[in-house]
Amino acid sequence: MTGTGASGARSAVEWLVSVAPDPDACRWEWERNPHGVALLPAGRCWDVLILPAELGYPTLDVLTRLVDRPGPVLADFGDARTGFFVPPGTATRWLGTGVRGAGAGTWIVVPYPGRATGGVRWLVAPDGAGTLTDAALLEMAMHEAAGRIGRAGGES
């Protein structure tokens, strides 16, 4: 898991709450919610592409070999899915079997950066600078990961 230092967590918090209808209420929710999460709207500063973990984790492995630091990546409750933060508008244009998109009009559960929670967690925390994963690069990483999975499945 890629974390952030104290100042990085503060700037990541500011970046995340910048999309909240009420940033103070978002901060309050993070502090008082027993799960340490808040709901934030997708579609303004980012969309989220949600992959099944069987593809998401290998895709993240490929991405981290291709770039120094991908955009933020979430794992959900039970590690069943991974969510890659991509540029806004990506979800409406994305076509892919088994990949769900969260864009304008949707909300995502977001943990406080740098804090462990009981469920959803950051695999790659936001850097506070607004770094997102390029959708074309993500697609390429997904194809490579799917190819590896297919080859591994054929070796039985």
Side-chain angles (χ1 to χ4, degrees), residues 81-122:
R81 290 175 291 278
T82 53
F84 293 82
F85 281 52
V86 293
T90 301
T92 59
R93 296 184 308 271
W94 192 268
L95 298 173
T97 304
V99 177
R100 293 185 356 213
T106 61
W107 294 74
I108 58 169
V109 175
V110 179
Y112 188 91
R115 262 190 222 151
T117 65
V120 64
R121 63 191 172 92
W122 293 108

Side-chain angles (χ1 to χ4, degrees), residues 8-9 13 17 24 30 34-35 39 46 49 52-54 58 77 85 91 96 102 104 106 110 122 138 140 147:
V13 167
V17 301
D24 291 332
W30 267 327
H35 301 290
L39 283 173
W46 63 79
L49 292 181
E54 301 81 34
F77 303 96
F85 281 52
T106 61
V110 179
W122 293 108
L138 178 60
M140 185 175 66

